[in-house]
PDB file of all heavy atoms in Angstrom:
ATOM      1  N   ALA P 197       4.181  24.810 -10.649  1.00  0.00           N
ATOM      2  CA  ALA P 197       5.613  25.120 -10.561  1.00  0.00           C
ATOM      3  C   ALA P 197       6.388  23.918 -10.029  1.00  0.00           C
ATOM      4  O   ALA P 197       7.494  23.606 -10.512  1.00  0.00           O
ATOM      5  CB  ALA P 197       5.817  26.335  -9.654  1.00  0.00           C
ATOM      6  N   TRP P 198       5.835  23.240  -9.061  1.00  0.00           N
ATOM      7  CA  TRP P 198       6.469  22.049  -8.488  1.00  0.00           C
ATOM      8  C   TRP P 198       6.537  20.933  -9.527  1.00  0.00           C
ATOM      9  O   TRP P 198       7.534  20.216  -9.641  1.00  0.00           O
ATOM     10  CB  TRP P 198       5.656  21.615  -7.265  1.00  0.00           C
ATOM     11  CG  TRP P 198       6.310  20.584  -6.388  1.00  0.00           C
ATOM     12  CD1 TRP P 198       7.557  20.043  -6.509  1.00  0.00           C
ATOM     13  CD2 TRP P 198       5.724  19.978  -5.233  1.00  0.00           C
ATOM     14  NE1 TRP P 198       7.793  19.137  -5.508  1.00  0.00           N
ATOM     15  CE2 TRP P 198       6.678  19.073  -4.716  1.00  0.00           C
ATOM     16  CE3 TRP P 198       4.494  20.106  -4.587  1.00  0.00           C
ATOM     17  CZ2 TRP P 198       6.435  18.302  -3.579  1.00  0.00           C
ATOM     18  CZ3 TRP P 198       4.249  19.343  -3.456  1.00  0.00           C
ATOM     19  CH2 TRP P 198       5.215  18.451  -2.954  1.00  0.00           C
ATOM     20  N   LEU P 199       5.475  20.800 -10.311  1.00  0.00           N
ATOM     21  CA  LEU P 199       5.435  19.780 -11.358  1.00  0.00           C
ATOM     22  C   LEU P 199       6.553  19.993 -12.374  1.00  0.00           C
ATOM     23  O   LEU P 199       7.200  19.034 -12.821  1.00  0.00           O
ATOM     24  CB  LEU P 199       4.075  19.818 -12.052  1.00  0.00           C
ATOM     25  CG  LEU P 199       3.859  18.872 -13.226  1.00  0.00           C
ATOM     26  CD1 LEU P 199       3.988  17.417 -12.787  1.00  0.00           C
ATOM     27  CD2 LEU P 199       2.485  19.120 -13.849  1.00  0.00           C
ATOM     28  N   ALA P 200       6.788  21.241 -12.745  1.00  0.00           N
ATOM     29  CA  ALA P 200       7.864  21.534 -13.692  1.00  0.00           C
ATOM     30  C   ALA P 200       9.229  21.160 -13.128  1.00  0.00           C
ATOM     31  O   ALA P 200      10.137  20.781 -13.873  1.00  0.00           O
ATOM     32  CB  ALA P 200       7.831  23.015 -14.065  1.00  0.00           C
ATOM     33  N   GLU P 201       9.375  21.253 -11.827  1.00  0.00           N
ATOM     34  CA  GLU P 201      10.642  20.903 -11.159  1.00  0.00           C
ATOM     35  C   GLU P 201      10.809  19.389 -11.045  1.00  0.00           C
ATOM     36  O   GLU P 201      11.863  18.840 -11.386  1.00  0.00           O
ATOM     37  CB  GLU P 201      10.678  21.512  -9.750  1.00  0.00           C
ATOM     38  CG  GLU P 201      10.805  23.020  -9.714  1.00  0.00           C
ATOM     39  CD  GLU P 201      12.257  23.481  -9.846  1.00  0.00           C
ATOM     40  OE1 GLU P 201      13.150  22.610  -9.884  1.00  0.00           O
ATOM     41  OE2 GLU P 201      12.463  24.699  -9.920  1.00  0.00           O
ATOM     42  N   ASP P 202       9.775  18.707 -10.586  1.00  0.00           N
ATOM     43  CA  ASP P 202       9.883  17.281 -10.248  1.00  0.00           C
ATOM     44  C   ASP P 202       9.549  16.346 -11.398  1.00  0.00           C
ATOM     45  O   ASP P 202       9.939  15.181 -11.376  1.00  0.00           O
ATOM     46  CB  ASP P 202       8.962  16.954  -9.062  1.00  0.00           C
ATOM     47  CG  ASP P 202       9.620  17.254  -7.731  1.00  0.00           C
ATOM     48  OD1 ASP P 202      10.539  18.093  -7.720  1.00  0.00           O
ATOM     49  OD2 ASP P 202       9.214  16.666  -6.715  1.00  0.00           O
ATOM     50  N   GLY P 203       8.786  16.824 -12.370  1.00  0.00           N
ATOM     51  CA  GLY P 203       8.383  15.970 -13.476  1.00  0.00           C
ATOM     52  C   GLY P 203       7.141  15.161 -13.159  1.00  0.00           C
ATOM     53  O   GLY P 203       6.539  15.274 -12.086  1.00  0.00           O
ATOM     54  N   ALA P 204       6.777  14.286 -14.100  1.00  0.00           N
ATOM     55  CA  ALA P 204       5.518  13.546 -14.006  1.00  0.00           C
ATOM     56  C   ALA P 204       5.447  12.638 -12.785  1.00  0.00           C
ATOM     57  O   ALA P 204       4.352  12.305 -12.319  1.00  0.00           O
ATOM     58  CB  ALA P 204       5.307  12.721 -15.274  1.00  0.00           C
ATOM     59  N   ARG P 205       6.597  12.229 -12.237  1.00  0.00           N
ATOM     60  CA  ARG P 205       6.593  11.340 -11.070  1.00  0.00           C
ATOM     61  C   ARG P 205       5.877  11.986  -9.880  1.00  0.00           C
ATOM     62  O   ARG P 205       5.398  11.282  -8.991  1.00  0.00           O
ATOM     63  CB  ARG P 205       8.014  10.961 -10.663  1.00  0.00           C
ATOM     64  CG  ARG P 205       8.907  12.116 -10.235  1.00  0.00           C
ATOM     65  CD  ARG P 205      10.094  11.626  -9.417  1.00  0.00           C
ATOM     66  NE  ARG P 205       9.655  11.020  -8.184  1.00  0.00           N
ATOM     67  CZ  ARG P 205       9.393  11.719  -7.072  1.00  0.00           C
ATOM     68  NH1 ARG P 205       9.488  13.050  -7.058  1.00  0.00           N
ATOM     69  NH2 ARG P 205       9.013  11.092  -5.978  1.00  0.00           N
ATOM     70  N   LEU P 206       5.785  13.323  -9.851  1.00  0.00           N
ATOM     71  CA  LEU P 206       5.070  13.997  -8.766  1.00  0.00           C
ATOM     72  C   LEU P 206       3.636  13.491  -8.669  1.00  0.00           C
ATOM     73  O   LEU P 206       3.077  13.413  -7.572  1.00  0.00           O
ATOM     74  CB  LEU P 206       5.069  15.519  -9.006  1.00  0.00           C
ATOM     75  CG  LEU P 206       4.346  16.374  -7.961  1.00  0.00           C
ATOM     76  CD1 LEU P 206       5.041  16.282  -6.605  1.00  0.00           C
ATOM     77  CD2 LEU P 206       4.265  17.822  -8.430  1.00  0.00           C
ATOM     78  N   PHE P 207       3.055  13.118  -9.803  1.00  0.00           N
ATOM     79  CA  PHE P 207       1.672  12.653  -9.846  1.00  0.00           C
ATOM     80  C   PHE P 207       1.569  11.130  -9.807  1.00  0.00           C
ATOM     81  O   PHE P 207       0.480  10.583  -9.962  1.00  0.00           O
ATOM     82  CB  PHE P 207       0.980  13.183 -11.100  1.00  0.00           C
ATOM     83  CG  PHE P 207       0.414  14.571 -10.933  1.00  0.00           C
ATOM     84  CD1 PHE P 207       1.247  15.647 -10.683  1.00  0.00           C
ATOM     85  CD2 PHE P 207      -0.942  14.802 -11.014  1.00  0.00           C
ATOM     86  CE1 PHE P 207       0.747  16.931 -10.535  1.00  0.00           C
ATOM     87  CE2 PHE P 207      -1.470  16.078 -10.859  1.00  0.00           C
ATOM     88  CZ  PHE P 207      -0.622  17.144 -10.611  1.00  0.00           C
ATOM     89  N   VAL P 208       2.685  10.450  -9.611  1.00  0.00           N
ATOM     90  CA  VAL P 208       2.683   8.987  -9.519  1.00  0.00           C
ATOM     91  C   VAL P 208       3.029   8.561  -8.095  1.00  0.00           C
ATOM     92  O   VAL P 208       2.156   8.146  -7.330  1.00  0.00           O
ATOM     93  CB  VAL P 208       3.637   8.358 -10.546  1.00  0.00           C
ATOM     94  CG1 VAL P 208       3.623   6.831 -10.425  1.00  0.00           C
ATOM     95  CG2 VAL P 208       3.254   8.773 -11.960  1.00  0.00           C
ATOM     96  N   ASP P 209       4.292   8.668  -7.729  1.00  0.00           N
ATOM     97  CA  ASP P 209       4.687   8.304  -6.368  1.00  0.00           C
ATOM     98  C   ASP P 209       5.182   9.485  -5.556  1.00  0.00           C
ATOM     99  O   ASP P 209       5.649   9.338  -4.432  1.00  0.00           O
ATOM    100  CB  ASP P 209       5.755   7.198  -6.391  1.00  0.00           C
ATOM    101  CG  ASP P 209       6.956   7.564  -7.256  1.00  0.00           C
ATOM    102  OD1 ASP P 209       7.083   8.733  -7.654  1.00  0.00           O
ATOM    103  OD2 ASP P 209       7.769   6.658  -7.536  1.00  0.00           O
ATOM    104  N   GLY P 210       5.078  10.702  -6.117  1.00  0.00           N
ATOM    105  CA  GLY P 210       5.389  11.913  -5.375  1.00  0.00           C
ATOM    106  C   GLY P 210       4.234  12.330  -4.490  1.00  0.00           C
ATOM    107  O   GLY P 210       3.242  11.597  -4.328  1.00  0.00           O
ATOM    108  N   ASP P 211       4.320  13.525  -3.937  1.00  0.00           N
ATOM    109  CA  ASP P 211       3.319  13.980  -2.971  1.00  0.00           C
ATOM    110  C   ASP P 211       1.906  14.037  -3.542  1.00  0.00           C
ATOM    111  O   ASP P 211       0.937  13.686  -2.861  1.00  0.00           O
ATOM    112  CB  ASP P 211       3.712  15.357  -2.433  1.00  0.00           C
ATOM    113  CG  ASP P 211       4.848  15.279  -1.424  1.00  0.00           C
ATOM    114  OD1 ASP P 211       5.568  14.272  -1.419  1.00  0.00           O
ATOM    115  OD2 ASP P 211       5.028  16.244  -0.650  1.00  0.00           O
ATOM    116  N   VAL P 212       1.775  14.489  -4.788  1.00  0.00           N
ATOM    117  CA  VAL P 212       0.432  14.580  -5.377  1.00  0.00           C
ATOM    118  C   VAL P 212      -0.139  13.188  -5.611  1.00  0.00           C
ATOM    119  O   VAL P 212      -1.306  12.911  -5.289  1.00  0.00           O
ATOM    120  CB  VAL P 212       0.458  15.388  -6.683  1.00  0.00           C
ATOM    121  CG1 VAL P 212      -0.932  15.418  -7.316  1.00  0.00           C
ATOM    122  CG2 VAL P 212       0.951  16.813  -6.416  1.00  0.00           C
ATOM    123  N   GLY P 213       0.675  12.293  -6.165  1.00  0.00           N
ATOM    124  CA  GLY P 213       0.215  10.924  -6.377  1.00  0.00           C
ATOM    125  C   GLY P 213      -0.192  10.249  -5.082  1.00  0.00           C
ATOM    126  O   GLY P 213      -1.213   9.546  -5.022  1.00  0.00           O
ATOM    127  N   GLN P 214       0.592  10.451  -4.032  1.00  0.00           N
ATOM    128  CA  GLN P 214       0.267   9.857  -2.735  1.00  0.00           C
ATOM    129  C   GLN P 214      -1.039  10.419  -2.192  1.00  0.00           C
ATOM    130  O   GLN P 214      -1.843   9.689  -1.595  1.00  0.00           O
ATOM    131  CB  GLN P 214       1.403  10.111  -1.755  1.00  0.00           C
ATOM    132  CG  GLN P 214       2.678   9.340  -2.093  1.00  0.00           C
ATOM    133  CD  GLN P 214       3.808   9.644  -1.126  1.00  0.00           C
ATOM    134  OE1 GLN P 214       3.579   9.913   0.061  1.00  0.00           O
ATOM    135  NE2 GLN P 214       5.029   9.613  -1.623  1.00  0.00           N
ATOM    136  N   ALA P 215      -1.271  11.718  -2.423  1.00  0.00           N
ATOM    137  CA  ALA P 215      -2.534  12.321  -1.960  1.00  0.00           C
ATOM    138  C   ALA P 215      -3.726  11.767  -2.739  1.00  0.00           C
ATOM    139  O   ALA P 215      -4.790  11.522  -2.171  1.00  0.00           O
ATOM    140  CB  ALA P 215      -2.456  13.839  -2.104  1.00  0.00           C
ATOM    141  N   ILE P 216      -3.557  11.574  -4.048  1.00  0.00           N
ATOM    142  CA  ILE P 216      -4.629  10.988  -4.858  1.00  0.00           C
ATOM    143  C   ILE P 216      -5.019   9.622  -4.312  1.00  0.00           C
ATOM    144  O   ILE P 216      -6.204   9.312  -4.125  1.00  0.00           O
ATOM    145  CB  ILE P 216      -4.192  10.873  -6.332  1.00  0.00           C
ATOM    146  CG1 ILE P 216      -4.097  12.261  -6.979  1.00  0.00           C
ATOM    147  CG2 ILE P 216      -5.162   9.981  -7.118  1.00  0.00           C
ATOM    148  CD1 ILE P 216      -3.503  12.255  -8.378  1.00  0.00           C
ATOM    149  N   VAL P 217      -4.024   8.801  -4.045  1.00  0.00           N
ATOM    150  CA  VAL P 217      -4.287   7.441  -3.570  1.00  0.00           C
ATOM    151  C   VAL P 217      -4.890   7.454  -2.174  1.00  0.00           C
ATOM    152  O   VAL P 217      -5.861   6.737  -1.887  1.00  0.00           O
ATOM    153  CB  VAL P 217      -2.984   6.617  -3.593  1.00  0.00           C
ATOM    154  CG1 VAL P 217      -3.196   5.262  -2.922  1.00  0.00           C
ATOM    155  CG2 VAL P 217      -2.508   6.431  -5.030  1.00  0.00           C
ATOM    156  N   ALA P 218      -4.334   8.264  -1.275  1.00  0.00           N
ATOM    157  CA  ALA P 218      -4.820   8.313   0.100  1.00  0.00           C
ATOM    158  C   ALA P 218      -6.286   8.737   0.152  1.00  0.00           C
ATOM    159  O   ALA P 218      -7.096   8.146   0.877  1.00  0.00           O
ATOM    160  CB  ALA P 218      -3.960   9.264   0.924  1.00  0.00           C
ATOM    161  N   GLU P 219      -6.642   9.757  -0.613  1.00  0.00           N
ATOM    162  CA  GLU P 219      -8.019  10.233  -0.596  1.00  0.00           C
ATOM    163  C   GLU P 219      -8.959   9.240  -1.265  1.00  0.00           C
ATOM    164  O   GLU P 219     -10.101   9.077  -0.838  1.00  0.00           O
ATOM    165  CB  GLU P 219      -8.101  11.603  -1.261  1.00  0.00           C
ATOM    166  CG  GLU P 219      -7.370  12.667  -0.461  1.00  0.00           C
ATOM    167  CD  GLU P 219      -7.636  14.071  -0.952  1.00  0.00           C
ATOM    168  OE1 GLU P 219      -8.458  14.240  -1.884  1.00  0.00           O
ATOM    169  OE2 GLU P 219      -7.035  15.006  -0.407  1.00  0.00           O
ATOM    170  N   SER P 220      -8.477   8.580  -2.305  1.00  0.00           N
ATOM    171  CA  SER P 220      -9.300   7.568  -2.956  1.00  0.00           C
ATOM    172  C   SER P 220      -9.610   6.429  -1.989  1.00  0.00           C
ATOM    173  O   SER P 220     -10.767   5.989  -1.885  1.00  0.00           O
ATOM    174  CB  SER P 220      -8.577   7.035  -4.195  1.00  0.00           C
ATOM    175  OG  SER P 220      -9.339   6.038  -4.832  1.00  0.00           O
ATOM    176  N   LEU P 221      -8.601   5.954  -1.284  1.00  0.00           N
ATOM    177  CA  LEU P 221      -8.801   4.843  -0.349  1.00  0.00           C
ATOM    178  C   LEU P 221      -9.693   5.224   0.822  1.00  0.00           C
ATOM    179  O   LEU P 221     -10.514   4.429   1.277  1.00  0.00           O
ATOM    180  CB  LEU P 221      -7.446   4.345   0.160  1.00  0.00           C
ATOM    181  CG  LEU P 221      -6.542   3.679  -0.886  1.00  0.00           C
ATOM    182  CD1 LEU P 221      -5.186   3.320  -0.263  1.00  0.00           C
ATOM    183  CD2 LEU P 221      -7.197   2.434  -1.467  1.00  0.00           C
ATOM    184  N   SER P 222      -9.556   6.462   1.301  1.00  0.00           N
ATOM    185  CA  SER P 222     -10.283   6.862   2.502  1.00  0.00           C
ATOM    186  C   SER P 222     -11.662   7.443   2.211  1.00  0.00           C
ATOM    187  O   SER P 222     -12.519   7.479   3.100  1.00  0.00           O
ATOM    188  CB  SER P 222      -9.469   7.891   3.297  1.00  0.00           C
ATOM    189  OG  SER P 222      -9.300   9.090   2.542  1.00  0.00           O
ATOM    190  N   ARG P 223     -11.903   7.859   0.958  1.00  0.00           N
ATOM    191  CA  ARG P 223     -13.156   8.543   0.644  1.00  0.00           C
ATOM    192  C   ARG P 223     -13.976   7.836  -0.434  1.00  0.00           C
ATOM    193  O   ARG P 223     -14.787   8.461  -1.115  1.00  0.00           O
ATOM    194  CB  ARG P 223     -12.881   9.985   0.210  1.00  0.00           C
ATOM    195  CG  ARG P 223     -12.352  10.868   1.329  1.00  0.00           C
ATOM    196  CD  ARG P 223     -12.277  12.306   0.866  1.00  0.00           C
ATOM    197  NE  ARG P 223     -11.887  13.216   1.937  1.00  0.00           N
ATOM    198  CZ  ARG P 223     -11.787  14.543   1.797  1.00  0.00           C
ATOM    199  NH1 ARG P 223     -12.056  15.097   0.620  1.00  0.00           N
ATOM    200  NH2 ARG P 223     -11.414  15.290   2.806  1.00  0.00           N
ATOM    201  N   GLY P 224     -13.766   6.543  -0.615  1.00  0.00           N
ATOM    202  CA  GLY P 224     -14.655   5.787  -1.476  1.00  0.00           C
ATOM    203  C   GLY P 224     -14.320   5.774  -2.945  1.00  0.00           C
ATOM    204  O   GLY P 224     -15.211   5.582  -3.781  1.00  0.00           O
ATOM    205  N   GLY P 225     -13.017   5.929  -3.287  1.00  0.00           N
ATOM    206  CA  GLY P 225     -12.612   5.857  -4.679  1.00  0.00           C
ATOM    207  C   GLY P 225     -12.055   4.493  -5.054  1.00  0.00           C
ATOM    208  O   GLY P 225     -11.833   3.635  -4.199  1.00  0.00           O
ATOM    209  N   HIS P 226     -11.805   4.296  -6.344  1.00  0.00           N
ATOM    210  CA  HIS P 226     -11.262   3.035  -6.846  1.00  0.00           C
ATOM    211  C   HIS P 226      -9.749   3.087  -7.051  1.00  0.00           C
ATOM    212  O   HIS P 226      -9.105   2.035  -7.122  1.00  0.00           O
ATOM    213  CB  HIS P 226     -11.895   2.693  -8.200  1.00  0.00           C
ATOM    214  CG  HIS P 226     -13.385   2.594  -8.186  1.00  0.00           C
ATOM    215  ND1 HIS P 226     -14.060   1.472  -7.746  1.00  0.00           N
ATOM    216  CD2 HIS P 226     -14.343   3.490  -8.571  1.00  0.00           C
ATOM    217  CE1 HIS P 226     -15.364   1.671  -7.865  1.00  0.00           C
ATOM    218  NE2 HIS P 226     -15.563   2.877  -8.359  1.00  0.00           N
ATOM    219  N   LEU P 227      -9.174   4.272  -7.174  1.00  0.00           N
ATOM    220  CA  LEU P 227      -7.792   4.406  -7.611  1.00  0.00           C
ATOM    221  C   LEU P 227      -6.797   3.987  -6.532  1.00  0.00           C
ATOM    222  O   LEU P 227      -6.968   4.285  -5.346  1.00  0.00           O
ATOM    223  CB  LEU P 227      -7.505   5.851  -8.029  1.00  0.00           C
ATOM    224  CG  LEU P 227      -8.314   6.375  -9.218  1.00  0.00           C
ATOM    225  CD1 LEU P 227      -7.950   7.823  -9.519  1.00  0.00           C
ATOM    226  CD2 LEU P 227      -8.106   5.501 -10.445  1.00  0.00           C
ATOM    227  N   THR P 228      -5.736   3.295  -6.971  1.00  0.00           N
ATOM    228  CA  THR P 228      -4.647   2.863  -6.097  1.00  0.00           C
ATOM    229  C   THR P 228      -3.323   3.291  -6.712  1.00  0.00           C
ATOM    230  O   THR P 228      -3.268   3.798  -7.841  1.00  0.00           O
ATOM    231  CB  THR P 228      -4.643   1.333  -5.930  1.00  0.00           C
ATOM    232  OG1 THR P 228      -4.298   0.735  -7.188  1.00  0.00           O
ATOM    233  CG2 THR P 228      -6.009   0.822  -5.483  1.00  0.00           C
ATOM    234  N   GLN P 229      -2.254   3.052  -5.988  1.00  0.00           N
ATOM    235  CA  GLN P 229      -0.932   3.355  -6.517  1.00  0.00           C
ATOM    236  C   GLN P 229      -0.664   2.586  -7.808  1.00  0.00           C
ATOM    237  O   GLN P 229      -0.021   3.082  -8.736  1.00  0.00           O
ATOM    238  CB  GLN P 229       0.144   2.995  -5.486  1.00  0.00           C
ATOM    239  CG  GLN P 229       1.542   3.530  -5.830  1.00  0.00           C
ATOM    240  CD  GLN P 229       1.621   5.041  -5.668  1.00  0.00           C
ATOM    241  OE1 GLN P 229       1.321   5.569  -4.611  1.00  0.00           O
ATOM    242  NE2 GLN P 229       2.007   5.730  -6.720  1.00  0.00           N
ATOM    243  N   GLY P 230      -1.188   1.364  -7.878  1.00  0.00           N
ATOM    244  CA  GLY P 230      -1.015   0.557  -9.081  1.00  0.00           C
ATOM    245  C   GLY P 230      -1.602   1.216 -10.319  1.00  0.00           C
ATOM    246  O   GLY P 230      -1.041   1.101 -11.419  1.00  0.00           O
ATOM    247  N   ASP P 231      -2.741   1.894 -10.172  1.00  0.00           N
ATOM    248  CA  ASP P 231      -3.347   2.576 -11.314  1.00  0.00           C
ATOM    249  C   ASP P 231      -2.432   3.675 -11.854  1.00  0.00           C
ATOM    250  O   ASP P 231      -2.245   3.803 -13.065  1.00  0.00           O
ATOM    251  CB  ASP P 231      -4.691   3.187 -10.913  1.00  0.00           C
ATOM    252  CG  ASP P 231      -5.745   2.143 -10.637  1.00  0.00           C
ATOM    253  OD1 ASP P 231      -6.113   1.419 -11.572  1.00  0.00           O
ATOM    254  OD2 ASP P 231      -6.179   2.030  -9.475  1.00  0.00           O
ATOM    255  N   LEU P 232      -1.874   4.472 -10.952  1.00  0.00           N
ATOM    256  CA  LEU P 232      -1.015   5.576 -11.374  1.00  0.00           C
ATOM    257  C   LEU P 232       0.274   5.069 -12.007  1.00  0.00           C
ATOM    258  O   LEU P 232       0.758   5.636 -12.992  1.00  0.00           O
ATOM    259  CB  LEU P 232      -0.706   6.486 -10.182  1.00  0.00           C
ATOM    260  CG  LEU P 232      -1.921   7.086  -9.456  1.00  0.00           C
ATOM    261  CD1 LEU P 232      -1.456   8.012  -8.341  1.00  0.00           C
ATOM    262  CD2 LEU P 232      -2.830   7.830 -10.427  1.00  0.00           C
ATOM    263  N   LYS P 233       0.835   3.998 -11.457  1.00  0.00           N
ATOM    264  CA  LYS P 233       2.090   3.454 -11.994  1.00  0.00           C
ATOM    265  C   LYS P 233       1.878   2.710 -13.311  1.00  0.00           C
ATOM    266  O   LYS P 233       2.772   2.673 -14.168  1.00  0.00           O
ATOM    267  CB  LYS P 233       2.737   2.512 -10.965  1.00  0.00           C
ATOM    268  CG  LYS P 233       3.319   3.226  -9.762  1.00  0.00           C
ATOM    269  CD  LYS P 233       4.033   2.251  -8.845  1.00  0.00           C
ATOM    270  CE  LYS P 233       4.727   2.990  -7.704  1.00  0.00           C
ATOM    271  NZ  LYS P 233       5.461   2.069  -6.794  1.00  0.00           N
ATOM    272  N   HIS P 234       0.710   2.135 -13.483  1.00  0.00           N
ATOM    273  CA  HIS P 234       0.428   1.325 -14.666  1.00  0.00           C
ATOM    274  C   HIS P 234       0.135   2.178 -15.895  1.00  0.00           C
ATOM    275  O   HIS P 234       0.310   1.734 -17.034  1.00  0.00           O
ATOM    276  CB  HIS P 234      -0.779   0.410 -14.376  1.00  0.00           C
ATOM    277  CG  HIS P 234      -1.196  -0.446 -15.519  1.00  0.00           C
ATOM    278  ND1 HIS P 234      -2.185  -0.065 -16.421  1.00  0.00           N
ATOM    279  CD2 HIS P 234      -0.768  -1.666 -15.923  1.00  0.00           C
ATOM    280  CE1 HIS P 234      -2.350  -1.009 -17.317  1.00  0.00           C
ATOM    281  NE2 HIS P 234      -1.512  -1.988 -17.050  1.00  0.00           N
ATOM    282  N   TYR P 235      -0.320   3.419 -15.695  1.00  0.00           N
ATOM    283  CA  TYR P 235      -0.782   4.242 -16.802  1.00  0.00           C
ATOM    284  C   TYR P 235       0.343   4.525 -17.801  1.00  0.00           C
ATOM    285  O   TYR P 235       1.459   4.869 -17.423  1.00  0.00           O
ATOM    286  CB  TYR P 235      -1.368   5.569 -16.322  1.00  0.00           C
ATOM    287  CG  TYR P 235      -2.004   6.345 -17.444  1.00  0.00           C
ATOM    288  CD1 TYR P 235      -3.340   6.178 -17.762  1.00  0.00           C
ATOM    289  CD2 TYR P 235      -1.236   7.210 -18.223  1.00  0.00           C
ATOM    290  CE1 TYR P 235      -3.915   6.856 -18.826  1.00  0.00           C
ATOM    291  CE2 TYR P 235      -1.803   7.888 -19.290  1.00  0.00           C
ATOM    292  CZ  TYR P 235      -3.138   7.705 -19.589  1.00  0.00           C
ATOM    293  OH  TYR P 235      -3.699   8.370 -20.655  1.00  0.00           O
ATOM    294  N   ARG P 236       0.035   4.408 -19.105  1.00  0.00           N
ATOM    295  CA  ARG P 236       0.982   4.719 -20.164  1.00  0.00           C
ATOM    296  C   ARG P 236       0.297   5.568 -21.242  1.00  0.00           C
ATOM    297  O   ARG P 236      -0.844   5.299 -21.627  1.00  0.00           O
ATOM    298  CB  ARG P 236       1.537   3.451 -20.825  1.00  0.00           C
ATOM    299  CG  ARG P 236       2.361   2.566 -19.909  1.00  0.00           C
ATOM    300  CD  ARG P 236       3.696   3.207 -19.529  1.00  0.00           C
ATOM    301  NE  ARG P 236       4.513   2.340 -18.708  1.00  0.00           N
ATOM    302  CZ  ARG P 236       4.449   2.265 -17.372  1.00  0.00           C
ATOM    303  NH1 ARG P 236       3.564   3.035 -16.723  1.00  0.00           N
ATOM    304  NH2 ARG P 236       5.229   1.459 -16.698  1.00  0.00           N
ATOM    305  N   VAL P 237       1.004   6.565 -21.733  1.00  0.00           N
ATOM    306  CA  VAL P 237       0.529   7.342 -22.880  1.00  0.00           C
ATOM    307  C   VAL P 237       0.631   6.468 -24.122  1.00  0.00           C
ATOM    308  O   VAL P 237       1.623   5.766 -24.311  1.00  0.00           O
ATOM    309  CB  VAL P 237       1.372   8.615 -23.058  1.00  0.00           C
ATOM    310  CG1 VAL P 237       0.929   9.399 -24.294  1.00  0.00           C
ATOM    311  CG2 VAL P 237       1.284   9.488 -21.809  1.00  0.00           C
TER     312      VAL P 237
END
């Protein structure tokens, strides 16, 4: 429901995107903010 309100940016620099990056950095992942911002369909 939040995604429909905020749009795709929620998963880039919004709360969900920030959580993806934070957990990746703290729990042994490769993903950074640059990965989410760089992605193109």
Side-chain angles (χ1 to χ4, degrees):
W198 192 4
L199 177 61
E201 290 277 356
D202 276 24
R205 62 161 296 275
L206 179 65
F207 275 63
V208 180
D209 54 12
D211 284 20
V212 177
Q214 291 178 32
I216 290 173
V217 172
E219 293 190 4
S220 179
L221 293 176
S222 64
R223 292 187 175 182
H226 303 279
L227 297 179
T228 68
Q229 192 71 55
D231 291 296
L232 303 183
K233 289 184 175 181
H234 178 267
Y235 187 90
R236 296 291 183 273
V237 177

